[in-house]
Amino acid sequence: MPEIIGVQFQSAGKIYYFDSLGQQIDTDEHVIVETSRGMEYARVLLATHWVPESEIVEPLRPIIRVATAMDDFTELENRRAAKDAFAICQEKIAHCGLDMKLVSVEYTFDRAKVIFNFTADERVDFRELIKELAAVFHT
């Protein structure tokens, strides 16, 4: 039976399971994990515990490491940068005259990606917005 932890990427978000690699990791600690979006910083909601193989949804990815003080600082900086990116994106949406509402902005932990979430009542052609954002953020 593998030892796993349950982590959450956003408050009130879904719990995702990762292999703890035999480390005892407690609730409310932070870890760095690899996801399909890249490296991410997550809070542990379920401490290390054994789970029967039959309950594991494959592939079960391992954690990269328990977060360090430097990782905590990086996450704080990423949140600050996301606030700045939100304001810039709002300006670009207005400049392009798009009928859409920006909901949130987040960076992956390694800043390889910046993710803009929005809503719109109708389909929106935001190709020009993407070009402008890519020119500003280089990602």
Side-chain angles (χ1 to χ4, degrees):
M1 286 194 299
E3 285 185 292
I4 67 165
I5 59 171
V7 305
Q8 188 177 51
F9 297 103
Q10 300 172 356
S11 59
K14 180 180 174 182
I15 297 175
Y16 295 88
Y17 300 100
F18 288 84
D19 186 338
S20 69
L21 300 176
Q23 298 179 66
Q24 292 303 311
I25 303 171
D26 294 324
T27 302
D28 291 327
E29 285 190 68
H30 291 95
V31 291
I32 306 300
V33 295
E34 182 75 29
T35 70
S36 59
R37 294 180 359 169
M39 284 180 49
E40 297 279 359
Y41 179 91
R43 183 170 65 98
V44 176
L45 286 185
L46 298 173
T48 304
H49 62 285
W50 294 98
V51 174
E53 293 278 348
S54 61
E55 293 181 22
I56 300 294
V57 176
E58 296 293 336
L60 183 64
R61 294 182 177 192
I63 65 163
I64 294 173
R65 65 179 178 272
V66 173
T68 64
M70 189 62 185
D71 292 332
D72 295 337
F73 177 76
T74 299
E75 177 63 12
L76 182 62
E77 288 299 307
N78 286 349
R79 288 181 188 212
R80 287 183 184 145
K83 286 181 183 179
D84 294 340
F86 190 96
I88 292 167
C89 187
Q90 289 282 60
E91 291 173 11
K92 298 293 183 186
I93 289 170
H95 177 261
C96 292
L98 298 173
D99 188 18
M100 59 193 284
K101 180 181 186 318
L102 184 62
V103 176
S104 66
V105 177
E106 60 184 297
Y107 277 94
T108 55
F109 180 75
D110 57 5
R111 287 215 188 174
K113 295 180 184 176
V114 58
I115 300 148
F116 298 90
N117 298 297
F118 69 91
T119 62
D121 290 333
E122 296 179 9
R123 190 172 181 89
V124 176
D125 181 358
F126 53 89
R127 289 177 290 189
E128 189 60 35
L129 174 65
I130 291 171
K131 289 177 190 173
E132 290 195 25
L133 293 173
V136 171
F137 297 104
H138 308 288
T139 184

